[in-house]
Structure formats: structure tokens, C-alpha cells
Amino acid sequence: MEKGLIPRDRFTESSQTYFLTHLHTDHIQGLTSKWGKGSLFCSKLTAKLLPFKFPDFNLSLLQVVDLHIWHSFSLISPTTRSQITAHVMAFDANHCPGVMFLFCREFGCLMYTRDFLWEVDSERAKDARSRLLNVLKNETVDVLYLDNTYCNPSYDFPTREVVDIIASHPEHDIVIGIDTLGKEELLIHISRVLNIKIWVWPERLQTMHLLGFHDTFTTKTSLTRVRAVPRYSFSVETLEGLNIREDYPTIGIMPSGLLWVLKPVKGDGNLFGSLLISRYKKRQPSDKLDGNLGYVERYHQYMFSIPYSDHSCFTEIQEFIELVQPTNMKGIVSSSSCYMLTHFTTSVAFVV
DNA sequence: GCGATCAGCT
DNA sequence: CACAGCTGATCGC
């Protein structure tokens, strides 16, 4: 495609079209309540959530892109000034929620995953896979712009372990750190497996309702011992405070893909003979990038970190690339690109 | 006084 | 390093 015709979710610059994949802060820079630069293409769900973030947003500027259906839009060629018709299709990115965009026009296709989680095993994953293959049998992706955040074989995110932690602390209150959007699937999973409601703060409950989750979450503390709270509102100190009263022992769980963000507290490792300590290997500093990171760490008496992310892990990225078979590829996270070069150069050329 | 942007932190 | 923010300072209106 010609330069200047590549749509992307960056809103500070002037552009002919604007595409919004999801509402995480790092993807809406330049977007405000007073937005007026032009039409904004996004999914139906993002359109529902957007006024929650930007109350005065002019909703007539939103162009809803339904999933799995081609939408046409017009562009002016920067070189010939002639009008071009381009087509866009959105796919579920399983991220917070978010979508991926496939752009096509006469001379080729581009695919932008932005932040995405490409599931491999579930029924939903099979459906997503067949839908994508069905579209790509007629189209070749010239450049795949890929979420390579965790593009390293070390990364794996098993979700079962968080349930194990909660189940093995039947007398404890549980506090889980989350953000304003994202990690819904993890909470749903916990709720379903343990048959328990999950407390969230009032604004988060509204968001959950907008996302279509009407039964799982509550703002009544009396209904559950599991609370999902803003990540920034609790810390080891908060938990220590809660545990001063012995009638409500509380443990905290921090789900994150970036495990080394959570630094273990020194001298705290072997004091607690719980089941979990013996089940999960204690991570050594040298394990950071070459060992398997996929296990739970109890890095404080009351705090656990679990490997979990709304981004794809390595095997999921691998499967996605094999499915799309792009001619060229570019990672959106520069520091991870070296791993992409290491692992995928045999089949795909890189755009630097 | 408000919103937008940025530095610093996690 | 970097997830997806948060807090606080500063600047323009």
C-alpha cells in the first residue's frame, strides 16, 4: 500500500481514517471527549464502552464495524489524489475486549492484530480459526502487524493455577488486582469453576454489564469472599493491614504476564509450608528469559503472582502466524522483535 | 478551575 | 526490558 494509507489507532496525528481496536490507555492517545478529527471505526462493544470513558463524545462520529463482515470506506490517494475504495474486516482479538483489523484493497492486504490473544484450544478458538481461514483463502496478507509482546518460548499462561490458589485457601478472603478493562475471562473462569460470585467496584460492575456479564459480578461484599479490586488500590501493605484482624485472613493475587515486575520479598521464601509452595517451583533470577515462566510465585506471605495475560503467549503467536502466512511481518513491540527474528525468519520476511 | 499533556513510578 | 495503568506537576484556555 502507498504510504499514508495505512490506518492505525493513533489519534494525535492527522489522518483520513481512524480505527480504534480497544480502549486501553496506551491505545487511545489523542482521543478525548471533544474528538472531532473525523470518523472513528470501532467494534460495537467498544462503541458501547466509549461513552463511559468519554462522556461527551460525539457518537455520530462512530462507525461501527461488525465482526466478520467486510466494510467499505473511501480514501484519497496522497499521490494521485484519486478516490480509492478500501475494505476492512474486524475479528475478535479477545483482548479486554478488542478487535483485529484486516484491511484490503486492490493491490493487497494488511492485517493489524494490535493487542490480541489468539486462543488455540477452546470451541471459540476453533470458530475463530475457521472464520479467519475462510477469509484468507481468498486473500494474501502482505504485511502482518503483530502483537509480539510475549513472543518468546518462555511465555505460557496457564489459567488453572489461580483457581488452585483460591481453592486451597478456603477460609481466606481473596483480593485480585485488575485494571479498568481486561482480564474478564480470568474472573469468569474463577467464578464458573468455584461457583462463586466476584465482587467488583461499582464502575467496574457497570462495565461488566456493558460487556454482557450480568450474573457473575456483584458489588455486595456479603455475597462472596473473592474481590477484584483496582490494581493500584492494594499492595502488600494493604494486605498486611487486612491480616492484622485474624477473623478475615486475606491473600492477594496479581495476574500479570510480566512476572519480573513483581519483585519477591527477600527472606520470605520458605516460611510457609502450604501446598502451593511445594507444588510450584520457586523461580530463580536466572530463569527470567530462558526458563519456563509459567508457574505461580508466592512472593510474599499474603501475595501471589500468577502468569496471566490478555496477550497471546508464544505458542499462540506461532499458531496465528502459521494460519495467516503473511508475506512480511512486523512486531508492534520493538524489544521483542529480536525473538521474532530468531524464531520465525525461516518462513517470513521481516519489515524493519 | 478545568482539561490536556508529560514525567515518574510501578 | 514493558503490561496498563496511576499520581502529580505543568501548561494553555
Side-chain angles (χ1 to χ4, degrees), chain A residues 23-296:
Chain A
L23 283 170
H24 275 157
T25 310
D26 53 335
H27 289 261
I28 55 175
Q29 296 300 304
L31 207 55
T32 69
S33 278
K34 298 189 177 94
W35 174 259
K37 285 186 177 177
S39 292
L40 188 67
F41 291 77
C42 67
S43 73
K44 196 173 281 178
L45 214 42
T46 296
K48 268 168 77 177
L49 292 167
L50 193 127
F52 200 62
K53 196 138 198 149
F54 302 116
D56 301 326
F57 201 93
N58 179 0
L59 296 178
S60 68
L61 292 173
L62 290 186
Q63 302 268 345
V64 170
V65 181
D66 296 303
L67 298 181
H68 313 125
I69 295 170
W70 285 112
H71 288 252
S72 300
F73 60 99
S74 291
L75 294 168
I76 306 295
S77 163
T79 49
T80 66
R81 310 305 301 170
S82 58
Q83 185 166 308
I84 299 162
T85 300
H87 309 277
V88 61
M89 189 182 285
F91 299 89
D92 197 335
N94 292 310
H95 182 91
C96 90
V99 291
M100 313 185 256
F101 287 123
L102 173 63
F103 297 100
C104 287
R105 63 182 188 91
E106 201 177 336
F107 303 111
C109 294
L110 301 174
M111 181 141 204
Y112 282 72
T113 68
R114 286 302 167 184
D115 291 356
F116 86 128
L117 191 158
W118 185 252
E119 296 178 309
V120 175
D121 287 329
S122 65
E123 274 308 306
R124 198 172 59 176
K126 279 183 205 161
D127 186 51
R129 185 190 158 89
S130 70
R131 281 180 186 278
L132 186 62
L133 280 177
N134 194 40
V135 173
L136 294 181
K137 71 181 180 211
N138 303 316
E139 313 285 352
T140 299
V141 172
D142 300 299
V143 186
L144 170 63
Y145 292 83
L146 179 74
D147 173 11
N148 58 326
T149 307
Y150 297 118
C151 192
N152 183 296
S154 306
Y155 291 110
D156 189 18
F157 305 123
T159 58
R160 183 182 52 78
E161 293 173 350
V162 68
V163 173
D164 289 351
I165 296 176
I166 298 172
S168 64
H169 291 77
E171 304 302 323
H172 283 70
D173 277 12
I174 314 289
V175 177
I176 305 169
I178 58 168
D179 290 311
T180 52
L181 266 182
K183 310 247 184 338
E184 288 82 17
E185 291 297 324
L186 176 67
L187 301 178
I188 296 283
H189 176 72
I190 292 167
S191 171
R192 202 166 287 159
V193 174
L194 299 177
N195 191 27
I196 193 168
K197 282 189 186 291
I198 296 178
W199 182 94
V200 288
W201 63 102
E203 292 80 6
R204 197 56 153 107
L205 185 69
Q206 270 184 278
T207 302
M208 292 305 194
H209 288 167
L210 287 172
L211 294 176
F213 304 123
H214 294 286
D215 303 321
T216 304
F217 302 97
T218 178
T219 51
K220 292 180 184 152
T221 43
S222 60
L223 293 182
T224 178
R225 66 186 181 95
V226 180
R227 307 196 294 280
V229 306
R231 189 160 49 99
Y232 278 84
S233 78
F234 91 107
S235 62
V236 166
E237 287 73 29
T238 321
L239 285 172
E240 284 172 343
L242 287 168
N243 280 287
I244 289 172
R245 286 186 54 187
E246 289 185 2
D247 49 344
Y248 285 109
T250 304
I251 57 166
I253 296 173
M254 280 290 193
S256 175
L258 297 167
L259 287 187
W260 56 92
V261 166
L262 305 166
K263 294 190 175 68
V265 177
K266 277 181 185 166
D268 191 35
N270 299 314
L271 293 174
F272 309 97
S274 88
L275 183 67
L276 286 157
I277 292 294
S278 56
R279 281 183 64 176
Y280 300 110
K281 190 179 79 173
K282 183 136 183 73
R283 178 150 39 97
Q284 301 301 315
S286 59
D287 289 334
K288 267 186 183 177
L289 285 176
D290 38 37
N292 177 20
L293 299 185
Y295 46 80
V296 170

